[in-house]
Amino acid sequence: MPPVHRSVVYDWLRHDKKFPHVWCPGCGLGILLGSLLRSLVESGLDKNQVVLVSGIGCSGRLPVYVDVNSVHTTHGRALTFATGIKLAKPELTVITVMGDGDATAIGGNHLIHAARRNLDITAIIVNNQTYGMTGGQYSPTTPLGAKATTAPYGHIEPSFDISALSATAGASFVARSTVYHITQLDQLLGQAIAKPGFGVVEVLSPCHTNFGRQNRLGSQVDMMKEFKRKGMRVERWRELPEGKRAENIPLGVLVDRDLPVFGQSYQRICDTAGKRGEAGK
Amino acid sequence: MSGKAAQPKPAQKGESKVSFFPAWCKRCGNCVAFCPRGALKRDQWGYPVLADSDRCTSCGLCEMLCPDFALSVGEGGLKPAGAGAPRGSRVAPITSPERLAPEPNGGEEDGNG
């Protein structure tokens, strides 16, 4: 894939008023933002066709920096707003950006039901394994035994696997990548945007300010090197013996299937009801 | 991929291939740490510099891994507003001078900051 010309990417940024952005130095969200812009430009979409919806959290700031239609909504409800936008204007490309706490804790219900309905929405879930903005409290994706502000002796709950959760709930496209595997992330985001139906891309991102510091994982460079060490193509990961799987992270397209899309079924119902209404006059 | 927009020309030898926008740089060090050829180094304030231009292959990894859009590889890039400003100078209200290191040639701290 040839690199997207950077002047195009800057053209999609609100670079004259919002920069430098608020994220910590080295935060993976900035890398994801660049990746998302490159995939949008690669997809050949017009700025007016794209809607970015976000909830609350560090990831909630992301649409603020992009010069497209953007909605910064309440905590966990990015998918509900996106549902309304998509059903009212089916021609728009709706992308939601959520954090792990936003998507699986506060908005956990919305995530599974959006996946079950298989709405034509792309959900980018940034997984930094903690609540970064509020000071490093544990989230549903904090690993067992990890330290957090609210778990100073180690977390005692097992964690959610966001990709497995959305795949089980019925999403038609599920992929996982990290901000270190940047070319793969570009491709996966492009595929998820192009895929009809609910597309989930779980993006592992370092929160060195809170999660990394409390667990002594070093700087974001060390955390990204850890992604590099653990990350493995899902095809190779599936060939591993059962005992060795836990120490590696499968990356790539985990689920890609064709399922009925909610928007199309909804349109059919609208047409049927409209005809009956006219016949009854 | 011939139908694509014109790609930036490969830089000539001795020409700077990487442009830095220090006003946006937060000195996180991703570009220096992940340069596959070790062409980037940090200067005394922690900002990246292209220490060895001959080793740079213009792969663009530093640009893609920069969270702050603070550098670009090759030529032809549109400079973001305020991002090309010299360090330590007050150019735009969004650029806080406190976080900017002093100009290397100036030698002294920017008193206005």
Side-chain angles (χ1 to χ4, degrees):
Chain A
M1 191 168 68
V4 171
H5 202 283
R6 65 198 55 81
S7 62
V8 183
V9 169
Y10 282 124
D11 189 38
W12 283 58
L13 287 177
R14 290 178 175 150
H15 61 80
D16 51 345
K17 37 186 158 182
K18 296 285 182 189
F19 277 82
H21 54 56
V22 295
W23 297 315
C24 303
C27 179
L29 281 162
I31 306 176
L32 169 70
L33 173 57
S35 181
L36 176 63
L37 293 181
R38 284 192 296 275
S39 356
L40 285 171
V41 175
E42 278 284 313
S43 311
L45 291 163
D46 188 68
K47 277 190 206 173
N48 293 327
Q49 288 175 287
V50 181
V51 187
L52 271 177
V53 190
S54 73
I56 298 295
C58 296
S59 61
R61 295 287 303 172
L62 195 140
V64 177
Y65 301 119
V66 191
D67 190 21
V68 298
N69 309 295
S70 43
V71 193
H72 189 174
T73 70
T74 48
H75 206 353
R77 316 295 178 232
L79 279 169
T80 61
F81 282 82
T83 304
I85 294 167
K86 185 70 191 176
L87 291 182
K89 295 236 176 222
E91 68 276 9
L92 295 176
T93 302
V94 185
I95 300 167
T96 65
V97 184
M98 299 172 284
D100 53 310
D102 199 34
T104 58
I106 298 101
N109 231 338
H110 303 306
L111 177 74
I112 54 173
H113 290 288
R116 177 177 63 83
R117 286 186 196 119
N118 205 27
L119 280 150
D120 190 8
I121 291 174
T122 306
I124 301 170
I125 302 177
V126 187
N127 183 358
N128 60 5
Q129 306 182 320
T130 191
Y131 285 99
M133 185 175 261
T134 50
Q137 291 82 0
Y138 67 75
S139 82
T141 51
T142 305
L144 193 65
K147 290 200 169 82
T149 313
T150 42
Y153 304 107
H155 194 33
I156 53 169
E157 301 167 17
S159 61
F160 255 150
D161 181 340
I162 295 177
S163 297
L165 174 72
S166 1
T168 315
S172 58
F173 183 90
V174 181
R176 187 194 282 120
S177 189
T178 77
V179 290
Y180 173 78
H181 301 83
I182 186 72
T183 43
Q184 184 195 39
L185 181 59
D186 284 14
Q187 289 168 10
L188 291 176
L189 289 176
Q191 285 179 41
I193 292 166
K195 178 84 183 172
F198 195 65
V200 176
V201 183
E202 181 187 354
V203 185
L204 301 181
S205 168
C207 181
H208 51 291
T209 311
N210 279 311
F211 187 76
R213 192 185 57 205
Q214 291 179 39
N215 291 286
R216 302 193 185 279
L217 300 176
S219 69
Q220 93 281 359
V221 172
D222 300 319
M223 292 178 82
M224 280 165 76
K225 282 185 179 157
E226 195 69 5
F227 289 151
K228 180 188 180 184
R229 193 178 67 77
K230 283 186 177 171
M232 183 183 269
R233 282 218 158 255
V234 64
E235 294 83 6
R236 267 187 64 207
W237 183 83
R238 286 192 179 122
E239 289 166 10
L240 285 179
E242 200 71 45
K244 287 201 167 181
R245 288 188 176 181
E247 59 204 54
N248 293 297
I249 310 169
L251 305 177
V253 181
L254 307 175
V255 173
D256 188 358
R257 57 192 169 189
D258 292 316
L259 296 170
V261 180
F262 181 79
Q264 292 162 4
S265 325
Y266 180 69
Q267 193 57 45
R268 261 203 313 279
I269 293 289
C270 289
D271 293 345
T272 317
K275 272 182 205 150
R276 286 218 186 137
E278 277 174 26
K281 274 180 192 167
Chain B
M1 292 282 182
S2 55
K4 289 277 166 193
Q7 293 298 316
K9 276 189 294 181
Q12 298 298 309
K13 197 170 180 181
E15 188 182 332
S16 178
K17 299 168 194 172
V18 190
S19 2
F20 301 96
F21 313 134
W24 284 15
C25 180
K26 290 177 186 163
R27 295 178 270 181
C28 69
N30 272 1
C31 49
V32 179
F34 293 110
C35 176
R37 302 267 295 160
L40 296 169
K41 296 266 184 313
R42 281 166 176 258
D43 69 6
Q44 62 187 111
W45 292 282
Y47 285 99
V49 286
L50 188 59
D52 194 346
S53 176
D54 287 347
R55 289 190 66 79
C56 174
T57 58
S58 300
C59 69
L61 194 66
C62 53
E63 184 188 325
M64 291 201 280
L65 288 180
C66 176
D68 295 283
F69 302 88
L71 56 83
S72 77
V73 183
E75 55 180 282
L78 179 80
K79 279 201 175 177
R87 293 169 202 165
S89 68
R90 190 187 294 271
V91 277
I94 48 140
T95 311
S96 86
E98 297 83 45
R99 76 171 74 192
L100 305 178
E103 188 67 30
N105 306 332
E108 284 180 58
E109 287 279 327
D110 187 17
N112 302 329

PDB file of all heavy atoms in Angstrom, chain B residues 41-57:
ATOM      1  N   LYS B  41      18.230  10.896  15.952  1.00  0.00           N
ATOM      2  CA  LYS B  41      18.792  10.995  17.309  1.00  0.00           C
ATOM      3  C   LYS B  41      18.069  12.129  18.031  1.00  0.00           C
ATOM      4  O   LYS B  41      17.425  12.966  17.408  1.00  0.00           O
ATOM      5  CB  LYS B  41      20.282  11.326  17.250  1.00  0.00           C
ATOM      6  CG  LYS B  41      21.141  10.254  16.602  1.00  0.00           C
ATOM      7  CD  LYS B  41      21.707   9.323  17.673  1.00  0.00           C
ATOM      8  CE  LYS B  41      22.648   8.282  17.113  1.00  0.00           C
ATOM      9  NZ  LYS B  41      22.199   7.568  15.923  1.00  0.00           N
ATOM     10  N   ARG B  42      18.201  12.144  19.367  1.00  0.00           N
ATOM     11  CA  ARG B  42      17.625  13.243  20.127  1.00  0.00           C
ATOM     12  C   ARG B  42      18.676  14.336  20.289  1.00  0.00           C
ATOM     13  O   ARG B  42      19.850  14.025  20.506  1.00  0.00           O
ATOM     14  CB  ARG B  42      17.218  12.767  21.523  1.00  0.00           C
ATOM     15  CG  ARG B  42      15.915  12.013  21.562  1.00  0.00           C
ATOM     16  CD  ARG B  42      15.811  11.323  22.892  1.00  0.00           C
ATOM     17  NE  ARG B  42      14.532  10.650  23.053  1.00  0.00           N
ATOM     18  CZ  ARG B  42      13.533  11.151  23.787  1.00  0.00           C
ATOM     19  NH1 ARG B  42      13.667  12.289  24.402  1.00  0.00           N
ATOM     20  NH2 ARG B  42      12.411  10.480  23.898  1.00  0.00           N
ATOM     21  N   ASP B  43      18.264  15.581  20.223  1.00  0.00           N
ATOM     22  CA  ASP B  43      19.194  16.664  20.517  1.00  0.00           C
ATOM     23  C   ASP B  43      19.198  16.904  22.027  1.00  0.00           C
ATOM     24  O   ASP B  43      18.572  16.162  22.794  1.00  0.00           O
ATOM     25  CB  ASP B  43      18.857  17.921  19.705  1.00  0.00           C
ATOM     26  CG  ASP B  43      17.562  18.586  20.135  1.00  0.00           C
ATOM     27  OD1 ASP B  43      16.989  18.142  21.143  1.00  0.00           O
ATOM     28  OD2 ASP B  43      17.130  19.534  19.480  1.00  0.00           O
ATOM     29  N   GLN B  44      19.902  17.931  22.473  1.00  0.00           N
ATOM     30  CA  GLN B  44      20.081  18.080  23.921  1.00  0.00           C
ATOM     31  C   GLN B  44      18.790  18.376  24.658  1.00  0.00           C
ATOM     32  O   GLN B  44      18.717  18.206  25.869  1.00  0.00           O
ATOM     33  CB  GLN B  44      21.123  19.167  24.205  1.00  0.00           C
ATOM     34  CG  GLN B  44      20.721  20.533  23.700  1.00  0.00           C
ATOM     35  CD  GLN B  44      21.842  21.527  23.838  1.00  0.00           C
ATOM     36  OE1 GLN B  44      22.420  21.983  22.879  1.00  0.00           O
ATOM     37  NE2 GLN B  44      22.159  21.860  25.081  1.00  0.00           N
ATOM     38  N   TRP B  45      17.758  18.819  23.941  1.00  0.00           N
ATOM     39  CA  TRP B  45      16.470  19.055  24.597  1.00  0.00           C
ATOM     40  C   TRP B  45      15.504  17.897  24.411  1.00  0.00           C
ATOM     41  O   TRP B  45      14.374  17.980  24.836  1.00  0.00           O
ATOM     42  CB  TRP B  45      15.855  20.350  24.067  1.00  0.00           C
ATOM     43  CG  TRP B  45      16.632  21.546  24.480  1.00  0.00           C
ATOM     44  CD1 TRP B  45      16.619  22.153  25.704  1.00  0.00           C
ATOM     45  CD2 TRP B  45      17.574  22.254  23.695  1.00  0.00           C
ATOM     46  NE1 TRP B  45      17.492  23.197  25.727  1.00  0.00           N
ATOM     47  CE2 TRP B  45      18.096  23.293  24.514  1.00  0.00           C
ATOM     48  CE3 TRP B  45      18.044  22.128  22.394  1.00  0.00           C
ATOM     49  CZ2 TRP B  45      19.062  24.182  24.046  1.00  0.00           C
ATOM     50  CZ3 TRP B  45      19.001  23.016  21.948  1.00  0.00           C
ATOM     51  CH2 TRP B  45      19.500  24.030  22.767  1.00  0.00           C
ATOM     52  N   GLY B  46      15.941  16.871  23.713  1.00  0.00           N
ATOM     53  CA  GLY B  46      15.080  15.719  23.520  1.00  0.00           C
ATOM     54  C   GLY B  46      14.301  15.723  22.227  1.00  0.00           C
ATOM     55  O   GLY B  46      13.559  14.792  21.955  1.00  0.00           O
ATOM     56  N   TYR B  47      14.449  16.773  21.418  1.00  0.00           N
ATOM     57  CA  TYR B  47      13.767  16.801  20.124  1.00  0.00           C
ATOM     58  C   TYR B  47      14.495  15.900  19.137  1.00  0.00           C
ATOM     59  O   TYR B  47      15.716  15.765  19.206  1.00  0.00           O
ATOM     60  CB  TYR B  47      13.746  18.223  19.568  1.00  0.00           C
ATOM     61  CG  TYR B  47      12.764  19.126  20.254  1.00  0.00           C
ATOM     62  CD1 TYR B  47      13.176  20.003  21.242  1.00  0.00           C
ATOM     63  CD2 TYR B  47      11.426  19.101  19.907  1.00  0.00           C
ATOM     64  CE1 TYR B  47      12.289  20.835  21.881  1.00  0.00           C
ATOM     65  CE2 TYR B  47      10.520  19.929  20.540  1.00  0.00           C
ATOM     66  CZ  TYR B  47      10.958  20.792  21.522  1.00  0.00           C
ATOM     67  OH  TYR B  47      10.057  21.594  22.150  1.00  0.00           O
ATOM     68  N   PRO B  48      13.774  15.285  18.211  1.00  0.00           N
ATOM     69  CA  PRO B  48      14.464  14.435  17.234  1.00  0.00           C
ATOM     70  C   PRO B  48      15.172  15.269  16.174  1.00  0.00           C
ATOM     71  O   PRO B  48      14.696  16.327  15.770  1.00  0.00           O
ATOM     72  CB  PRO B  48      13.313  13.629  16.620  1.00  0.00           C
ATOM     73  CG  PRO B  48      12.116  14.471  16.799  1.00  0.00           C
ATOM     74  CD  PRO B  48      12.317  15.266  18.053  1.00  0.00           C
ATOM     75  N   VAL B  49      16.316  14.770  15.760  1.00  0.00           N
ATOM     76  CA  VAL B  49      17.018  15.365  14.623  1.00  0.00           C
ATOM     77  C   VAL B  49      17.446  14.225  13.702  1.00  0.00           C
ATOM     78  O   VAL B  49      17.657  13.098  14.149  1.00  0.00           O
ATOM     79  CB  VAL B  49      18.273  16.169  15.047  1.00  0.00           C
ATOM     80  CG1 VAL B  49      17.899  17.479  15.677  1.00  0.00           C
ATOM     81  CG2 VAL B  49      19.144  15.355  15.978  1.00  0.00           C
ATOM     82  N   LEU B  50      17.561  14.538  12.433  1.00  0.00           N
ATOM     83  CA  LEU B  50      18.038  13.551  11.467  1.00  0.00           C
ATOM     84  C   LEU B  50      19.564  13.564  11.538  1.00  0.00           C
ATOM     85  O   LEU B  50      20.226  14.374  10.900  1.00  0.00           O
ATOM     86  CB  LEU B  50      17.537  13.899  10.069  1.00  0.00           C
ATOM     87  CG  LEU B  50      17.793  12.866   8.976  1.00  0.00           C
ATOM     88  CD1 LEU B  50      17.152  11.542   9.326  1.00  0.00           C
ATOM     89  CD2 LEU B  50      17.259  13.361   7.651  1.00  0.00           C
ATOM     90  N   ALA B  51      20.100  12.658  12.370  1.00  0.00           N
ATOM     91  CA  ALA B  51      21.538  12.698  12.624  1.00  0.00           C
ATOM     92  C   ALA B  51      22.313  12.151  11.435  1.00  0.00           C
ATOM     93  O   ALA B  51      23.401  12.630  11.127  1.00  0.00           O
ATOM     94  CB  ALA B  51      21.859  11.890  13.882  1.00  0.00           C
ATOM     95  N   ASP B  52      21.761  11.132  10.791  1.00  0.00           N
ATOM     96  CA  ASP B  52      22.499  10.504   9.701  1.00  0.00           C
ATOM     97  C   ASP B  52      21.573  10.411   8.493  1.00  0.00           C
ATOM     98  O   ASP B  52      20.832   9.453   8.329  1.00  0.00           O
ATOM     99  CB  ASP B  52      22.963   9.118  10.157  1.00  0.00           C
ATOM    100  CG  ASP B  52      24.018   8.560   9.221  1.00  0.00           C
ATOM    101  OD1 ASP B  52      24.175   9.110   8.124  1.00  0.00           O
ATOM    102  OD2 ASP B  52      24.667   7.566   9.603  1.00  0.00           O
ATOM    103  N   SER B  53      21.629  11.413   7.665  1.00  0.00           N
ATOM    104  CA  SER B  53      20.703  11.511   6.536  1.00  0.00           C
ATOM    105  C   SER B  53      20.899  10.361   5.551  1.00  0.00           C
ATOM    106  O   SER B  53      19.944   9.909   4.909  1.00  0.00           O
ATOM    107  CB  SER B  53      20.916  12.852   5.848  1.00  0.00           C
ATOM    108  OG  SER B  53      20.123  12.941   4.719  1.00  0.00           O
ATOM    109  N   ASP B  54      22.130   9.862   5.439  1.00  0.00           N
ATOM    110  CA  ASP B  54      22.396   8.798   4.471  1.00  0.00           C
ATOM    111  C   ASP B  54      21.746   7.476   4.876  1.00  0.00           C
ATOM    112  O   ASP B  54      21.441   6.638   4.028  1.00  0.00           O
ATOM    113  CB  ASP B  54      23.904   8.583   4.330  1.00  0.00           C
ATOM    114  CG  ASP B  54      24.543   9.729   3.571  1.00  0.00           C
ATOM    115  OD1 ASP B  54      23.771  10.505   2.970  1.00  0.00           O
ATOM    116  OD2 ASP B  54      25.770   9.859   3.602  1.00  0.00           O
ATOM    117  N   ARG B  55      21.546   7.294   6.173  1.00  0.00           N
ATOM    118  CA  ARG B  55      20.947   6.032   6.615  1.00  0.00           C
ATOM    119  C   ARG B  55      19.432   6.034   6.434  1.00  0.00           C
ATOM    120  O   ARG B  55      18.816   4.981   6.421  1.00  0.00           O
ATOM    121  CB  ARG B  55      21.290   5.790   8.090  1.00  0.00           C
ATOM    122  CG  ARG B  55      22.746   5.430   8.319  1.00  0.00           C
ATOM    123  CD  ARG B  55      22.980   4.962   9.734  1.00  0.00           C
ATOM    124  NE  ARG B  55      22.308   3.707  10.038  1.00  0.00           N
ATOM    125  CZ  ARG B  55      22.746   2.509   9.684  1.00  0.00           C
ATOM    126  NH1 ARG B  55      23.862   2.404   9.017  1.00  0.00           N
ATOM    127  NH2 ARG B  55      22.091   1.422  10.013  1.00  0.00           N
ATOM    128  N   CYS B  56      18.823   7.201   6.320  1.00  0.00           N
ATOM    129  CA  CYS B  56      17.357   7.296   6.197  1.00  0.00           C
ATOM    130  C   CYS B  56      16.920   6.769   4.847  1.00  0.00           C
ATOM    131  O   CYS B  56      17.424   7.189   3.816  1.00  0.00           O
ATOM    132  CB  CYS B  56      16.922   8.747   6.372  1.00  0.00           C
ATOM    133  SG  CYS B  56      15.170   8.999   6.074  1.00  0.00           S
ATOM    134  N   THR B  57      15.974   5.818   4.878  1.00  0.00           N
ATOM    135  CA  THR B  57      15.476   5.256   3.621  1.00  0.00           C
ATOM    136  C   THR B  57      14.103   5.820   3.269  1.00  0.00           C
ATOM    137  O   THR B  57      13.450   5.317   2.360  1.00  0.00           O
ATOM    138  CB  THR B  57      15.360   3.730   3.734  1.00  0.00           C
ATOM    139  OG1 THR B  57      14.497   3.430   4.826  1.00  0.00           O
ATOM    140  CG2 THR B  57      16.705   3.081   3.961  1.00  0.00           C
TER     141      THR B  57
END
